[in-house]
Amino acid sequence: TLLEVADVPEVPGESVNVSGEIVDLWTPSASNIAQVGLIADDSGKIKFTSWKKSDQKWVKEGDQVQLWSAKKNWYQGRCSLALTYDSRIVFPERDRRWWKD
């Protein structure tokens, strides 16, 4: 089930699935981070971190994505998402072609 971003901190469990737009990316603060930024929907926005060792697809600002099995993290009272080797990034507009044919 895909959640709204605002619901992520409230749901039980360690991992979640969310859908939204990549609205901001910035330079990672550590060499083991591939990408870091914000994913947003109509309900809000949340930070995500994609770790290099998780070998995820690259995203760019403006991409509509689904993050599957993203791990919830808490830091200073704020919830964020980490993309691990168990996670998956899906681009609904891009990926739609292969299952429609």
Side-chain angles (χ1 to χ4, degrees):
T1 307
L2 286 165
L3 298 172
E4 288 195 325
V5 168
D7 293 336
V8 168
E10 310 304 322
V11 296
E14 286 187 3
S15 63
V16 295
N17 307 320
V18 296
S19 178
E21 178 183 350
I22 304 299
V23 294
D24 197 10
L25 292 169
W26 56 88
T27 304
S29 59
S31 60
N32 58 345
I33 297 173
Q35 287 189 292
V36 61
L38 296 174
I39 181 170
D41 64 15
D42 292 339
S43 72
K45 56 190 171 190
I46 193 166
K47 179 183 170 188
F48 73 92
T49 302
S50 180
W51 298 95
K52 280 187 180 173
K53 66 182 176 188
S54 70
D55 197 28
Q56 295 294 329
K57 296 177 185 174
W58 284 79
V59 298
K60 61 185 188 304
E61 289 179 13
D63 280 348
Q64 292 291 328
V65 298
Q66 296 171 351
L67 305 181
W68 293 88
S69 297
K71 281 246 189 272
K72 292 192 325 188
N73 287 323
W74 291 91
Y75 181 71
Q76 294 181 343
R78 294 186 107 166
C79 187
S80 65
L81 298 173
L83 301 177
T84 68
Y85 60 89
D86 291 327
S87 306
R88 194 164 47 110
I89 299 175
V90 174
F91 299 85
E93 283 134 11
R94 255 192 255 167
D95 297 344
R96 192 175 299 136
R97 279 169 288 175
W98 63 264
W99 67 73
K100 275 195 164 179
D101 293 343

